Amino acid sequence: MPGMTDARFRRSVILICSHSDEGAMGLVLNRPLPEIDFGDLLEQLGIETDNRVRRIEVRFGGPVEPGRGFVLHKVPEHGNDPEGRLRIGSALAMTTTRDILEDLAHGAGPDAAVLALGYAGWGPGQLENEMLQNGWLTGEGADEIIFDASHDDKWQRALLAQGIDPSVLSGAAGRA
């Protein structure tokens, strides 16, 4: 929301990946890290590539554990989820294992994928409290928002997809 005072999250679009009584975890979708090349990152991890290496965008996933990588990708709606994969809804997943990076390094793996470094995290009740304070607006995720590499207007497009005109939002919270 416009009243977000934390600069790390100003106009952020975040996909909530996990939410329970223990807290919440999500990935920022609209903060690319153009200075980090996927191929260079694979090299640093000791993963050999070939000429089929996929060009995967690297994004800032959030301020928590910025050295930890998460591959957000599409999955078949029905199927088994191997260890290290967290299903998000019916057709998305977040994978944290090295296997998916090795697949992508050789032209395999999911068709749509992004790599996020770090994540956004909230303790028990923290996200709910921030929502009550008008810090966040929730809505349904859409592939064109999640995987699209056009980030400059992603916040506005995410709002418009929910039927909300960004120009009418207020940073002030209130109750009727």
Side-chain angles (χ1 to χ4, degrees), residues 32-167:
L33 293 172
E35 67 276 8
I36 300 177
D37 178 73
F38 183 64
D40 293 342
L41 189 64
L42 292 174
E43 186 178 317
Q44 289 177 14
L45 294 171
I47 297 174
E48 291 186 27
T49 63
D50 59 30
N51 62 351
R52 296 172 297 165
V53 65
R54 302 270 303 281
R55 293 288 151 216
I56 303 298
E57 183 179 39
V58 181
R59 299 181 189 174
F60 167 77
V64 182
E65 294 189 64
R68 188 170 178 196
F70 303 88
V71 179
L72 182 63
H73 58 96
K74 295 189 63 97
V75 292
E77 287 194 33
H78 304 289
N80 296 331
D81 290 321
E83 188 175 329
R85 178 190 288 175
L86 172 68
R87 187 171 286 267
I88 305 164
S90 62
L92 285 177
M94 179 182 66
T95 300
T96 59
T97 61
R98 184 179 176 99
D99 305 21
I100 194 166
L101 296 175
E102 291 170 347
D103 286 346
L104 293 167
H106 299 287
D111 291 334
V114 295
L115 173 65
L117 296 179
Y119 66 93
W122 295 266
Q126 182 182 359
L127 180 58
E128 293 82 354
N129 186 51
E130 290 180 11
M131 290 172 69
L132 288 172
Q133 300 302 315
N134 203 37
W136 300 101
L137 179 67
T138 62
E140 293 297 316
D143 288 353
E144 58 271 11
I145 300 293
I146 295 169
F147 295 106
D148 183 43
S150 175
H151 301 291
D152 292 339
D153 65 344
K154 192 172 279 190
W155 180 77
Q156 292 90 339
R157 288 187 294 125
L159 290 170
L160 290 169
Q162 303 302 318
I164 299 168
D165 179 351
S167 68

